Amino acid sequence: MAVELLVINATLPDGRTGQDIAVSGGRILEIAPGIAAEAGRVIDAGGLLVSPPFVDVHFHMDATLSLGIPRLNRSGTLLEGIALWGELKPLLTPEAVAERALRYCDLAVSQGLLAIRTHVDICDDRLTAVEALLHVKRTVAPYIDLQLVAFPQDGYFRAPKSAENLLRALDMGVDVVGGIPHFERTMADGAASVKALCEIAAERGLRVDMHCDETDDPLSRQVEALAYETQRLGLQGRVAGSHLTSMHSMDNYYVSKLIPLMAEAGLHAIPNPLINITLQGRHDTYPKRRGMTRVPELRAAGVNVAFGQDCCMDPWYSLGGADMLDVAHMGLHVGLMTSREAMTFCFEAVTTNPARVMGLEGYGLAAGCHADFVLLQARDPIEAIRMRATRLAVVRRGKVIAETPPKRASLFLDGRPGMVDPSDYAPPVG
Ligand code: FE2
């Protein structure tokens, strides 16, 4: 069989070194040391890390790159962000949303970010953003797997036409059912919204991803209803709770009951470290809570945990750069996950774990998978996070779709000649 691309001498995230990757027909034909094949193109990885692509499982593409329109979020708070989004929404046009989203997708590709689940606000009766992002989804399909979530930002019951708009959005082709139960008028309405939305997903055979308990209120317990409905409707493995920040502040005894319920229901947990650390704890004096959900404890109970970016240059967050290594870096620090094993998990939390949440077909580094991968200027996942490693080459379906030159410094201070990789420090093995 014709080999279109051969990557030689790669290190894989599981630690295997000296691996060659042969690609044919847009899929991985074989991964093994010393593959002898004539190839259309050969990339010498030079012992560096080849990873499956980055996956961002929680994003808002309808708002991205809108920073400053119609004004800046001066306080940097969640509440001003929500108010600002309310001002921006009536001004949106499909053309402007699509143009910003496509610019973002170019950035994402350059960062090796090739799968994105984006929430799309369905509370605008015109469904402007839905229309725009469905167009973007089709346009970027050769490069990025884009999954859309019908997100009732202003509440499923609380906003007058949410329920109707949500069904319209699903009929138009939106993939996933969203929700925001903690934002409904009462706890009871929140639980009722979870029930209604999970039933829609079960009827239509769709996945669910709710903004759930994005608050510092320890009594915000909508995730309990989410786990219950998931179990009741047989949606195990298809439902995600995004944010879950109230868990940070919950009573430990209650959490000791809650986490096993989440594990039993096969819920996925999606913390968003950059946003959680900046938006939560804002009503605290000192000590200020971190707001990120209980990642090590969820992992220990067998819950699949994936990190999302959430925002990039929008009403809620002025920073961000489609860099999932930045997200992993923040999650690692906020969660105090500094053991070797936990640091490696943080890399999985922006690659394989979110791919499971999205149900991506053919994702991974194995024979038969899509030939989608990223060559990083790092020797292992921990170094990739440490250096927010340069994406030397981004490959999609066997074709190089982005390249970035390696980071180098010209150092002559100690008498060494030439160009030196500034990350060139090999930690002791073991
Ligand atoms: Fe979000």
Side-chain angles (χ1 to χ4, degrees):
M1 201 179 291
V3 171
E4 296 142 18
L5 174 68
L6 182 65
V7 179
I8 58 170
N9 192 19
T11 297
L12 304 184
D14 64 11
R16 279 179 289 165
T17 57
Q19 300 294 307
D20 297 352
I21 304 170
V23 171
S24 178
R27 294 209 176 237
I28 295 173
L29 188 64
E30 187 186 3
I31 300 183
I35 296 175
E38 285 289 308
R41 179 168 180 181
V42 176
I43 296 177
D44 184 354
L48 296 175
L49 180 65
V50 171
S51 158
F54 295 105
V55 180
D56 183 1
V57 75
H58 188 112
F59 193 61
H60 293 265
M61 203 176 274
D62 49 0
T64 196
L65 306 187
S66 67
L67 185 71
I69 308 171
R71 61 182 178 83
L72 288 167
N73 181 341
R74 294 285 169 194
S75 64
T77 60
L78 174 60
L79 290 180
E80 188 175 344
I82 291 171
L84 187 46
W85 177 237
E87 292 170 38
L88 174 58
K89 241 192 295 193
L91 309 178
L92 295 177
T93 64
E95 295 75 20
V97 173
E99 188 271 330
R100 287 194 289 265
L102 288 170
R103 256 194 295 136
Y104 178 81
C105 287
D106 286 341
L107 176 63
V109 165
S110 75
Q111 298 279 32
L113 170 54
L114 302 187
I116 302 171
R117 173 182 277 183
T118 176
H119 294 255
V120 50
D121 190 348
I122 52 86
C123 291
D124 163 17
D125 294 340
R126 300 170 302 157
L127 295 183
T128 307
V130 173
E131 184 192 328
L133 291 190
L134 283 168
H135 165 73
V136 169
K137 179 182 169 168
R138 288 189 293 272
T139 307
V140 303
Y143 314 103
I144 295 177
D145 294 302
L146 187 58
Q147 210 172 60
L148 307 188
V149 185
F151 175 45
Q153 168 89 65
D154 303 330
Y156 180 66
F157 292 130
R158 196 168 164 181
K161 292 178 83 175
S162 266
E164 183 187 328
N165 291 352
L166 185 125
L167 292 179
R168 279 172 60 212
L170 296 178
D171 288 342
M172 286 165 73
V174 169
D175 310 275
V176 179
V177 179
I180 187 163
H182 59 277
F183 193 71
E184 303 296 346
R185 288 192 177 88
T186 64
M187 299 277 191
D189 262 11
S193 78
V194 170
K195 179 171 186 287
L197 290 160
C198 286
E199 284 173 354
I200 292 170
E203 268 164 37
R204 294 181 175 234
L206 300 176
R207 291 171 188 269
V208 176
D209 187 340
M210 294 200 193
H211 283 67
C212 194
D213 302 323
E214 188 184 5
T215 156
D216 291 320
D217 174 7
L219 295 177
S220 185
R221 295 177 172 185
Q222 303 292 351
V223 63
E224 184 184 272
L226 192 60
Y228 175 80
E229 293 299 334
T230 301
Q231 187 105 35
R232 182 177 73 84
L233 295 163
L235 292 169
Q236 290 90 339
R238 304 177 64 80
V239 177
S242 280
H243 291 295
L244 304 172
T245 52
S246 72
M247 281 182 74
H248 187 91
S249 301
M250 280 174 185
D251 170 70
N252 288 335
Y253 191 88
Y254 174 68
V255 172
S256 74
K257 177 194 170 197
L258 175 65
I259 289 183
L261 289 177
M262 293 171 66
E264 197 179 274
L267 275 193
H268 304 281
I270 307 176
N272 296 285
L274 296 170
I275 304 306
N276 300 153
I277 196 68
T278 49
L279 293 184
Q280 302 306 314
R282 297 297 281 248
H283 292 199
D284 295 357
T285 52
Y286 286 93
K288 288 185 191 293
R289 284 169 287 178
R290 289 159 186 253
M292 193 167 80
T293 196
R294 304 188 186 202
V295 176
E297 293 76 12
L298 287 164
R299 284 189 65 213
V303 174
N304 180 42
V305 181
F307 291 149
Q309 184 187 199
D310 205 2
C311 299
C312 174
M313 308 266 294
D314 68 12
W316 297 275
Y317 190 58
S318 304
L319 307 171
D323 186 348
M324 295 309 293
L325 289 171
D326 224 17
V327 174
H329 189 265
M330 181 61 76
L332 182 158
H333 284 77
V334 176
L336 307 175
M337 291 181 284
T338 49
S339 72
R340 305 293 295 178
E341 188 275 337
M343 288 195 283
T344 302
F345 152 77
C346 289
F347 191 84
E348 292 162 2
V350 293
T351 52
T352 47
N353 294 3
R356 272 179 65 198
V357 180
M358 289 180 68
L360 293 178
E361 178 270 325
Y363 178 92
L365 290 181
C369 289
H370 289 301
D372 301 349
F373 44 80
V374 185
L375 171 60
L376 293 156
Q377 191 183 3
R379 280 158 294 205
D380 59 53
I382 296 172
E383 189 175 66
I385 294 174
R386 178 172 75 86
M387 294 304 295
R388 262 71 99 233
T390 300
R391 284 68 164 170
L392 300 171
V394 179
V395 174
R396 171 86 170 178
R397 306 296 194 254
K399 296 195 169 44
V400 177
I401 58 170
E403 284 177 282
T404 307
K407 213 182 276 179
R408 294 183 192 280
S410 303
L411 288 181
F412 298 95
L413 300 176
D414 64 354
R416 283 186 297 168
M419 308 293 279
V420 177
D421 174 350
S423 72
D424 192 13
Y425 168 74
V429 176

